Amino acid sequence: MRLYDILGLLKTNEIKLVDKKPETNGSYLFSFEFKSYLEWKAGQHGMFKFKGEKLDGGNFRPFSVASTKDENIITILTKIGDTPSGFKSKLKSMEVGDTISLRGPFGGFYISDYNRPMVMVAGGVGITPMRALLKDMDRNGIFTDVSLLYIDSSGEYAFKEEFEIIKRDNPNISIHFLNDRKILEDKLSDFINRHNNNATYFISGSPNMVNDVRNKIEAKGIKKRNIINDSFRGY
């Protein structure tokens, strides 16, 4: 991990909730504004903490940031079920104007070379950092082959309308909304056959999903240095 990847750990901000809304399939979007200067790369994640709280399961959680620096807002997407943890219950009960502490963003999940072809494999709420990557590329121009493979067994897809617009405006990008693992594997194999180790492979989702996709990619000869993954551990 590079020094830049962990520098965000030194930054702590109090961020204020400005919007919250249901998205899809039990997931919710939370958007926060920040007062002090904040710098991050699209795709990185932060550590969110309710200071002074004693919550069941702990008072902090990591979340990937769905927004880009240019949007001047911190947006996260998370699933909140019928029996949420103490942290998620507190998060869901937040009202506009309430604050939470953010350490970061930081981490190595971001684009280092915009000229390399890219495939982004996302499962469920693992779409969160992919939204940031695509918005970042859309703003700066997509000049290489980019493919998003977004799988969700429920058939509901967060940010779908935004992705359709990005796809419409960028002929170099292909976006596939999937609910079948076999189709996912076929499309991933097609990308590998076209680009092999000349591309970057982003994977984001549950730990099991990430490990399974990563193993399949490596089995086809893709080097570890070309694979960047982000495991969502139920957050």
Side-chain angles (χ1 to χ4, degrees):
M1 187 172 285
R2 289 161 286 195
L3 178 61
Y4 178 88
D5 300 347
I6 59 175
L7 281 178
L9 282 168
L10 304 176
K11 307 171 188 175
T12 301
N13 278 270
E14 290 296 317
I15 56 177
K16 182 171 67 175
L17 184 69
V18 293
D19 189 37
K20 69 174 181 178
K21 60 183 179 180
E23 181 65 8
T24 57
N25 194 31
S27 66
Y28 292 80
L29 276 172
F30 297 84
S31 295
F32 304 87
E33 67 176 14
F34 46 91
K35 292 182 179 180
S36 58
Y37 179 75
L38 200 56
E39 179 83 22
W40 75 94
K41 286 184 177 289
Q44 291 185 309
H45 68 278
M47 195 67 68
F48 294 74
K49 181 178 182 179
F50 289 109
K51 288 184 176 179
E53 299 277 354
K54 291 186 178 180
L55 302 173
D56 176 35
N59 65 346
F60 65 91
R61 291 289 187 277
F63 292 104
S64 289
V65 178
S67 49
T68 69
K69 178 172 61 68
D70 299 308
E71 293 176 281
N72 292 312
I73 200 164
I74 292 284
T75 299
I76 61 174
L77 174 75
T78 186
K79 273 195 172 184
I80 302 180
D82 295 331
T83 56
S85 65
F87 182 95
K88 285 196 175 182
S89 292
K90 178 74 174 179
L91 183 66
K92 189 177 181 180
S93 69
M94 289 184 73
E95 300 289 343
V96 170
D98 290 346
T99 62
I100 190 172
S101 175
L102 167 66
R103 184 177 290 275
F106 59 95
F109 197 91
Y110 58 82
I111 300 170
S112 296
D113 186 348
Y114 286 77
N115 294 314
R116 283 168 64 90
M118 293 172 239
V119 63
M120 303 174 184
V121 184
V125 291
I127 193 61
T128 307
M130 306 303 196
R131 189 265 182 190
L133 296 183
L134 287 173
K135 291 291 286 187
D136 181 55
M137 285 190 291
D138 181 48
R139 179 182 179 277
N140 294 290
I142 299 175
F143 304 109
T144 186
D145 185 6
V146 176
S147 182
L148 172 66
L149 306 178
Y150 181 7
I151 185 167
D152 193 300
S153 59
S154 71
E156 296 185 26
Y157 306 96
F159 312 118
K160 185 173 183 179
E161 290 184 5
E162 285 187 276
F163 292 153
E164 294 284 15
I165 293 171
I166 292 174
K167 179 181 178 180
R168 181 197 67 196
D169 295 341
N170 295 277
N172 291 325
I173 188 170
S174 61
I175 296 178
H176 305 276
F177 301 100
L178 311 171
N179 60 10
D180 184 282
R181 188 62 69 92
K182 178 62 168 60
I183 297 176
L184 170 65
E185 293 175 5
D186 289 345
K187 291 191 177 299
L188 187 54
S189 294
D190 177 66
F191 185 91
I192 293 172
N193 290 337
R194 286 186 286 117
H195 298 293
N196 205 270
N197 278 295
N198 296 314
T200 303
Y201 298 77
F202 290 93
I203 317 168
S204 181
S206 69
N208 287 339
M209 177 268 187
V210 168
N211 289 337
D212 181 60
V213 173
R214 186 183 183 97
N215 289 338
K216 284 182 167 60
I217 290 175
E218 290 183 1
K220 292 183 178 294
I222 302 304
K223 305 296 184 183
K224 291 182 178 180
R225 66 175 180 270
N226 295 320
I227 305 172
I228 302 174
N229 60 261
D230 191 359
S231 294
F232 280 66
R233 303 184 182 278
Y235 301 130

